[in-house]
């Protein structure tokens, strides 16, 4: 059977944008990433261990093709020296290990961050696809197509209603938890062909390249988390990360992620300078409407017209949730909705809740203080308590 990953473009755009920034700003950083399954699978993931290792072998044999490099180089925010780096880049098999620990599948990537940070999305896509290959693919795709038609019909009916001030716009964010690579392509092609007025792009760089779509993405949690261990004062880590981003992209890729230490702590750092320089904010945990009200109030306090900014939502969205949020906010600010699992893995089977997160940088722990219970990530309770204290985040909030 063909490997799960056949192209190094088959990943999220924000992997490349964070990768370029770290290569230019902090290429010496050492990092460790760990795989975690947050829910109970239908069978132990350790049964996939041999297949996972074979897929990692295949991944580490891939390199970027000249066509892929030409596409990346054509994105105005990707710099020529980064393309040159990718031309000689190969994943190093010695930097990643997959093993069993009891009935738990463990995958650890450890080494120079610019050599291990890109493993994440590929590992998640590999585990997902291998897992779902053991189910009835034909039956799942029949059910998936039925649900896909229902989503498209829902959106087609919705867009016939009177428009709000700002348009309703959807993106595909489904690489990491997709049912399979061919299934994600089928879903994205359907949305692109049938809902062009609504469907505005995909995070999957391979699909964006092949289908002529806009690649979507800026930064993920790991980017801001890394700055917790880069030598700046911990209290200044978010500001340092945002400042490096501004200097790297100078107006491009202007959506900032807000929930690495919680929305309140983020807004305390997101002063007039950053609020003017960034185009908007991305929500990834906590109540979306509560979050949006905080964002809009912050812009109002800074006397910034909210109609010039964009709020992007990406936390466990469904089409119905996106429409509900849009109805509440579409007259007040620009909006965008990144839908992942509900697009790329809604086939009638229970999905895996898997992540591969940065756990340390330069030998120091890093953490995410999520606005949603259960999404806080840190193995070091002492550091977690210190982080809460520094950013004045009460323990009950995480």
């Amino acid at each position: 059977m063909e490997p799960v990953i056949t192209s190094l473009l088959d990943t999220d755009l924000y992997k490349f944008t964070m990768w370029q920034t770290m290569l230019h700003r902090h290429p010496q950083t050492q990092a460790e990433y760990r795989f975690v399954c947050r829910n109970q699978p239908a069978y132990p993931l350790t049964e996939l261990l041999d297949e996972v290792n074979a897929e990692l072998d295949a991944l580490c044999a891939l390199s970027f093709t000249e066509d892929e490099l030409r596409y990346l180089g054509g994105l105005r925010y990707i710099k020529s020296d980064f393309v040159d780096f990718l031309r000689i880049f190969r994943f190093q098999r010695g930097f990643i290990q997959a093993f069993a620990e009891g009935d738990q599948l463990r995958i650890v990537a450890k080494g120079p961050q610019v050599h291990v940070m890109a493993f994440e999305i590929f590992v998640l896509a590999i585990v997902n696809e291998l897992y779902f290959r053991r189910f009835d693919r034909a039956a799942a795709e029949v059910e998936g197509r039925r649900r896909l038609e229902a989503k498209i019909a829902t959106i087609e009916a919705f867009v016939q209603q009177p428009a709000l001030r700002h348009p309703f716009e959807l993106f595909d964010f489904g690489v990491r938890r997709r049912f399979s690579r061919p299934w994600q392509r089928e879903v994205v092609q359907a949305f692109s062909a049938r809902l062009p007025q609504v469907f505005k792009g995909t995070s999957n760089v391979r699909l964006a390249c092949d289908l002529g779509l806009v690649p979507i993405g800026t930064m993920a949690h790991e980017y801001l988390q890394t700055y917790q261990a880069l030598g700046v004062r911990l209290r200044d880590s978010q500001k340092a990360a945002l400042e490096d981003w501004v200097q790297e992209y100078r107006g491009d890729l202007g959506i900032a992620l807000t929930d690495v230490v919680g929305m309140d702590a983020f807004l305390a750092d997101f002063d007039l300078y950053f609020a003017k320089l960034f185009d908007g904010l991305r929500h990834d945990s906590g109540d979306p409407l509560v979050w949006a009200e905080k964002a809009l109030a912050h812009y109002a306090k800074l006397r910034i017209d909210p109609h010039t900014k964009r709020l992007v939502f990406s936390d466990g969205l469904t089409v119905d949730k996106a429409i509900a949020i849009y109805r509440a906010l579409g007259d007040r600010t620009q909006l965008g909705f990144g839908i992942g699992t509900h697009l790329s893995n809604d086939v009638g089977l229970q999905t895996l809740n898997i992540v591969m997160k940065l756990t340390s940088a330069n030998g120091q722990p890093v953490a995410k203080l999520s606005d949603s219970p259960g999404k806080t990530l840190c193995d070091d309770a002492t550091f977690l308590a210190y982080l809460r204290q520094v950013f004045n985040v009460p323990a009950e909030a995480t």
Side-chain angles (χ1 to χ4, degrees):
M1 188 172 288
E2 186 177 53
V4 172
I5 304 299
T6 59
S7 165
L8 293 183
L9 283 192
D10 189 18
T11 189
D12 283 324
L13 176 68
Y14 67 24
K15 275 296 169 182
F16 292 104
T17 57
M18 293 186 294
W19 199 355
Q20 176 173 270
T21 307
M22 299 315 292
L23 180 68
H24 287 160
R25 308 281 162 174
H26 303 284
Q28 75 285 5
T29 303
Q30 298 286 313
E32 180 176 291
Y33 293 76
R34 288 184 174 269
F35 170 88
V36 177
C37 182
R38 291 167 165 162
N39 65 347
Q40 185 65 41
Y43 60 88
L45 296 183
T46 50
E47 293 183 15
L48 302 174
L49 180 58
D50 289 343
E51 295 168 82
V52 167
N53 275 311
E55 292 287 343
L56 292 176
D57 291 342
L59 176 67
C60 292
L62 291 175
S63 57
F64 288 95
T65 68
E66 285 303 315
D67 285 346
E68 291 170 342
L69 294 169
R70 193 175 302 113
Y71 175 78
L72 288 170
L75 302 174
R76 72 180 186 184
Y77 43 81
I78 297 297
K79 298 177 172 62
S80 61
D81 69 310
F82 181 49
V83 175
D84 292 336
F85 169 81
L86 294 179
R87 180 172 280 109
I88 61 174
F89 175 79
R90 292 280 284 269
F91 281 115
Q92 302 301 306
R93 190 63 173 88
F95 289 153
I96 190 165
Q97 294 183 332
F99 54 95
E101 192 171 271
D103 63 352
Q104 299 296 311
L105 175 65
R106 303 298 188 199
I107 305 172
V108 179
K110 184 176 182 180
Q113 189 169 33
V114 294
H115 283 275
V116 300
M117 63 187 299
F119 274 120
E120 177 201 359
I121 306 301
F122 294 121
V123 166
L124 298 178
I126 284 168
V127 173
N128 258 306
E129 188 156 345
L130 292 177
Y131 177 79
F132 286 107
R133 280 178 180 177
R134 299 196 176 192
F135 295 87
D136 187 332
R137 174 176 174 174
E141 290 184 349
V142 167
E143 177 61 16
R145 292 185 184 107
R146 184 189 70 79
R147 296 183 182 207
L148 176 60
E149 287 299 317
K151 293 183 185 77
I152 291 173
T154 295
I155 296 171
E156 287 175 334
F158 172 67
V159 297
Q160 298 304 313
Q161 300 173 16
L164 301 180
R165 175 166 176 172
H166 299 285
F168 179 68
E169 296 184 343
L170 287 181
F171 324 115
D172 159 56
F173 280 7
V175 186
R176 65 186 57 216
R177 293 175 186 163
R178 64 192 181 190
F179 175 70
S180 70
R181 173 165 45 88
W183 178 247
Q184 185 187 21
R185 179 175 290 263
E186 180 175 334
V187 170
V188 170
Q189 282 180 311
F191 268 79
S192 176
R194 297 174 59 182
L195 297 167
Q197 74 277 30
V198 168
F199 189 72
K200 297 301 180 180
T202 175
S203 66
N204 186 321
V205 184
R206 179 76 264 168
L207 292 182
C209 174
D210 291 349
L211 303 178
L213 299 172
V214 176
I216 303 291
T218 57
M219 66 182 73
H221 298 98
E222 66 178 290
Y223 174 70
L224 289 103
Q225 284 177 265
T226 299
Y227 281 76
Q228 296 170 5
L230 289 186
V232 297
R233 281 198 323 159
L234 183 59
R235 183 63 189 83
D236 296 328
S237 59
Q238 289 194 118
K239 290 181 282 189
L242 294 174
E243 180 65 32
D244 274 2
W245 195 268
V246 166
Q247 295 301 322
E248 182 71 23
Y249 293 111
R250 306 191 69 81
D252 273 319
L253 305 173
I255 302 296
L257 181 61
T258 66
D259 70 332
V260 171
V261 289
M263 182 60 161
D264 294 338
F266 177 85
L267 292 179
D269 289 338
F270 198 67
D271 60 11
L272 182 61
Y273 171 76
F274 289 126
K276 283 187 172 182
L277 291 175
F278 279 89
D279 298 322
L281 305 171
R282 178 161 75 91
H283 168 267
D284 199 48
S285 63
D287 185 298
L289 295 181
V290 171
W291 175 90
E293 292 299 338
K294 289 181 178 181
L296 293 172
H298 190 69
Y299 283 130
K301 183 179 71 173
L302 298 175
R303 299 182 183 177
I304 292 176
D305 181 357
H307 296 288
T308 65
K309 300 298 179 181
R310 179 185 292 269
L311 301 183
V312 177
F313 297 84
S314 61
D315 180 30
L317 286 186
T318 65
V319 167
D320 290 340
K321 286 180 183 177
I323 288 174
I325 295 169
Y326 173 77
R327 283 178 169 146
L329 300 171
D331 277 332
R332 299 173 64 191
T333 189
Q334 299 175 50
L335 300 169
F337 300 94
I339 303 182
T341 309
H342 186 60
L343 289 190
S344 67
N345 202 349
D346 187 18
V347 296
L349 299 171
Q350 179 186 346
T351 56
L352 294 177
N353 186 352
I354 56 177
V355 295
M356 188 166 183
K357 291 299 185 183
L358 178 68
T359 56
S360 68
N362 292 333
Q364 300 180 50
V366 299
K368 179 181 76 166
L369 296 179
S370 172
D371 285 320
S372 290
K375 293 182 77 173
T376 294
L377 281 175
C378 185
D379 295 330
D380 190 312
T382 301
F383 177 73
L384 196 61
Y386 177 51
L387 190 65
R388 288 192 184 109
Q389 180 184 16
V390 167
F391 283 98
N392 194 28
V393 179
E396 61 269 18
T398 59

